[in-house]
Every structure is written in structure tokens, then in C-alpha cells.
Amino acid sequence: MPSTAANRRRMIAAMILTYMMFGILLNSVGTVILQAIQGFGISKNEASVLEAFKDLPIAVVSFLTAALMPRLGYRRAMMLGLSIVGVACALMPVLSSFWMTKVLFIATGASFALAKVSVYSSIGLLTEGKQAHASLTSIIEGWFMVGVLAGYWVFAWFINPQSPGDPVWLHVYWLLAALAAAIVILLASSRMDESAARDGHAAGESFLDMFRLIAQPLVAAFLVSAFLYVLIEQSVGTWLPTFNREILHLPTKMSVQAASIFAVSLALGRLAAGVALRRVPWHWLLSVCVIAMAMLVLLALPLARDVQPHEDMNWMRAPLAAYVFPLIGLFMAPIYPAINSVVLSSLPKSRHAAMTGLIVVFSALGGTTGSFITGQLFARIGGGTAFYLSLLPMALLLLAIAMLKRQSGRAEREVAAT
């Protein structure tokens, strides 16, 4: 192994905590959109751009820096990203404005680009073999969703239920700034052998390697799959709190908390996928999951029709759709880590940073597209109809998974023949 057992455990713990931190921040967009509408007095159309302020820096920074990351060092890159986002969090309650919210998400996106490329590339350095790679990938992605879940409840805890627009909710960012500082200290005390990631290529050649990867049919099939998956996940996750508030008529605090069911479903699904993928072929599991997602949309959204508001709304009186629709996360969960592992474990470790850069770029573009389109549809045709339209990218994702399976099988045969 590339490091001692103790260092390996410490490094994996630091990677998990880093991912949880960004899970909280990245998926707070839906909550922040709701709070910005109520607290800063902005429209839904204005709020819908927040996803782009988060995702476009992810895409740009990943594209520009992924090939250079092995030279900076994965551990140092994680520390740099956490330091940037920690400072941005500390400024949020001080400057308390919508423009600072945009700055925060720019910093979060840029920092996550550094962190994700580093974490995904480090998985290959800390594991041996495809099964171990897939297992650790699913575990880390599972803990990312635990961070998302924690974020819903942490943010809701700071919201004043009597006055949802009260800026007291911004005090949550003091807690997040302290968490970022603690993880930086843990990373500073960790060690990892990164020599296998340095292939000796010049920086320009490493950068061009990202373009060479796109030309590979396997990578192209993966990028289509990743784009479609993230488009679906972010369109649901970002706008679910607003759906709960405006369509299901839940109180603001309860709308945020109810959205955590989606995060619980994703976390449980990804942790379980680490076990299931050892026994079930990945393409069969993912195909069944996409079909189940579509069926759940067709089952849950009719339950949201004609829901009437109640002054004494609580968990016992909440409409069934508030519990059923977020369960779509159980079936979404295995898709993203599985397709990531398929493509990464098929490439040499020296190309993992460049490949992860492409993963992050296309994931960010998918997230921005999904959130923006869903936000516009929410404003024009209503939340229920907007979520029905997610069936189209689900159908395309099913075709993309079949294409990815075909190309991965072809790549395995080519390797076996050499």
C-alpha cells in the first residue's frame, strides 16, 4: 500500500470530512434560495442563478487546474480549498447580502473543484483493484450525502420559525467556518504517498490529456451519463424545499427539514450500493434504478395535487407526497459513484486527475442546467409540472447507461487482447 495503515485511515477520514463539508455547502443552494426569496426579497428568476454561481466556477477551475493538481499535491489542494471556503463562510454573516451569497457560492464552487479532483484522484492511491476502488468511492459519496442531510437540519436549526426571513439564519456560517478550519488541521497532520500520480509529463501535455480523454468512446459515453444524472439530481435537490413550501404548503422550517428525506435516501442508497455492486453487475443495477425513479415520479407527483394549506401543519398532517417523492434518492444513489468508478478504474492512476477534471466539469454543467431549467419552469408552469419533465432526462440516462456498458465492454476486450 502507498502509505501506512494509520496514515491511510487518517487520510480517508480527512477526505470523508472534506466531502461532508462540501456536501453541506453545495446542497444548501435550495435552502439559501428559499431564504433569499424571503429575507432578501428577490424573485425566483433572480434566485435561480445561484446554482450557476456555484457550478460554473466548479467547471472552470476543474478544467484549468485538474491536470496541474498532481504537482500541487492532492492533500495541499484540499487544504487550499477548505481555507478559501472557510474565509467566505466567515464573511457571510458580516456582509449579509445577496451579492455576498453569490460570492460565497463562487468560492464554494472553486474550492470544491480543488477538493473533488483531489479526493477522487486520491482514492486510486489508497486502493488496489476495481472492487476496492468502487467500494471506497461509494462510501465517500455516501458520507457526502450524510453531509447534505446534516446541512438541511443545521440550516433549519438557525431559521427563526416566527420570522423565516430573519437574518439570524446567517449565523450558521460561523459554525461552518470553524468546521473548515478543523478539517484543515486534520489534513495538515496527515500524510499520503502521491508519487504514483506524477507521471512526469509537462504541464501543457497533462492539460492536453483531458482533450485526448474526451476522444475515447468510453469517456464520451461516461460524460453523457454524468451530465444527465447530475441534471436530474440537482433539479430535484435544489428546488425540493421550494416545492415543499409552495406546492405542499409546508412551513418554511419544515420545508427545509422535509427535504432532508431526499438526502437520507441518497446516503442510504450510496452506502448500500457499496455492498450491492460486489454482487450485482453495475449496468443491471443502474438500469433498474432509473426505471424505478421514473415510476416513483409517476406515483408521487399526483399525490401533490390539490393539497390545501393548514395553519397547524405538522409532521402528522403533512401530505403523503412530502414523504414519498424524496424517496427517489434511494434509486438515484448508486448511479453517480458507479459510473465514476467504471471509468476511473479503467484508466492508469496518472490520468485520474485529468479524468476527474472532466467529471467535475460535466457534472457542474449538468447541475447548472438542471437547476436553471427547473427554476424557470417553476416560475412559469408550476412545481408539479416542472418535476414531471424530469422523465425526459431519465429516459436519456437509461440509453446513456446502455452506451456506457457497451463501450466499457469493448475497452475490456481491447485490454485483454493486448
Side-chain angles (χ1 to χ4, degrees), residues 91-126:
L91 291 174
M92 265 296 286
V94 175
L95 299 177
S96 183
S97 61
F98 187 57
W99 70 263
M100 184 58 214
T101 302
K102 295 177 182 178
V103 172
L104 170 70
F105 282 117
I106 290 172
T108 300
S111 300
F112 181 63
L114 299 175
K116 183 163 185 175
V117 171
S118 300
V119 168
Y120 262 58
S121 301
S122 298
I123 291 172
L125 300 176
L126 296 168

Side-chain angles (χ1 to χ4, degrees), residues 37 62 73 77 85 88 130 136 185 190 219 235 276 312 327 349 370 388:
I37 291 171
S62 297
V85 86
K130 288 190 174 184
L136 184 55
I185 293 171
S190 303
V219 174
S235 65
D312 56 346
L327 295 179
K349 294 176 181 179
Y388 267 122

Side-chain angles (χ1 to χ4, degrees), residues 66-67 117 121 206 209-210 213 350-359:
V117 171
S121 301
S206 296
D209 193 38
M210 297 178 70
L213 284 168
S350 60
R351 305 187 80 178
H352 282 198
M355 185 65 239
T356 304
L358 291 176
I359 290 173

Side-chain angles (χ1 to χ4, degrees), residues 250 254 310 312-320 323:
L250 303 183
M254 189 175 169
H310 294 282
D312 56 346
M313 178 68 75
N314 54 41
W315 292 105
M316 296 299 295
R317 291 176 174 268
L320 188 58
Y323 298 99

Side-chain angles (χ1 to χ4, degrees), residues 163-310:
S163 178
D166 188 338
V168 70
W169 72 274
L170 292 168
H171 292 175
V172 68
Y173 289 104
W174 293 120
L175 176 63
L176 296 177
L179 177 60
I183 302 171
V184 168
I185 293 171
L186 177 60
L187 281 165
S189 65
S190 303
R191 295 292 180 269
M192 178 174 65
D193 183 1
E194 302 183 26
S195 57
R198 302 186 182 96
D199 58 4
H201 291 175
E205 186 176 349
S206 296
F207 184 76
L208 291 174
D209 193 38
M210 297 178 70
F211 294 96
R212 297 190 190 102
L213 284 168
I214 295 176
Q216 294 187 14
L218 171 64
V219 174
F222 163 79
L223 294 176
V224 172
S225 303
F227 177 88
L228 290 168
Y229 169 80
V230 178
L231 185 151
I232 298 167
E233 183 190 302
Q234 290 300 311
S235 65
V236 174
T238 299
W239 287 95
L240 189 55
T242 304
F243 176 83
N244 290 337
R245 178 71 184 92
E246 297 193 353
I247 307 301
L248 302 183
H249 304 293
L250 303 183
T252 298
K253 187 169 185 174
M254 189 175 169
S255 295
V256 175
Q257 292 172 335
S260 68
I261 300 172
F262 178 64
V264 171
S265 299
L266 282 167
L268 292 176
R270 286 183 177 171
L271 293 172
V275 177
L277 287 169
R278 297 174 187 172
R279 297 174 173 82
V280 181
W282 66 268
H283 58 285
W284 285 115
L285 178 63
L286 302 195
S287 297
V288 169
C289 285
V290 175
I291 294 170
M293 286 162 54
M295 292 177 64
L296 196 56
V297 168
L298 295 173
L299 169 67
L301 291 183
L303 298 174
R305 291 177 185 165
D306 304 321
V307 173
Q308 299 300 317
H310 294 282

Side-chain angles (χ1 to χ4, degrees), residues 307-363:
V307 173
Q308 299 300 317
H310 294 282
E311 291 185 2
D312 56 346
M313 178 68 75
N314 54 41
W315 292 105
M316 296 299 295
R317 291 176 174 268
L320 188 58
Y323 298 99
V324 174
F325 185 62
L327 295 179
I328 193 172
L330 281 173
F331 304 108
M332 283 186 183
I335 298 173
Y336 192 66
I339 61 175
N340 285 338
S341 184
V342 166
V343 72
L344 283 172
S345 59
S346 300
L347 297 171
K349 294 176 181 179
S350 60
R351 305 187 80 178
H352 282 198
M355 185 65 239
T356 304
L358 291 176
I359 290 173
V360 177
V361 168
F362 279 79
S363 297

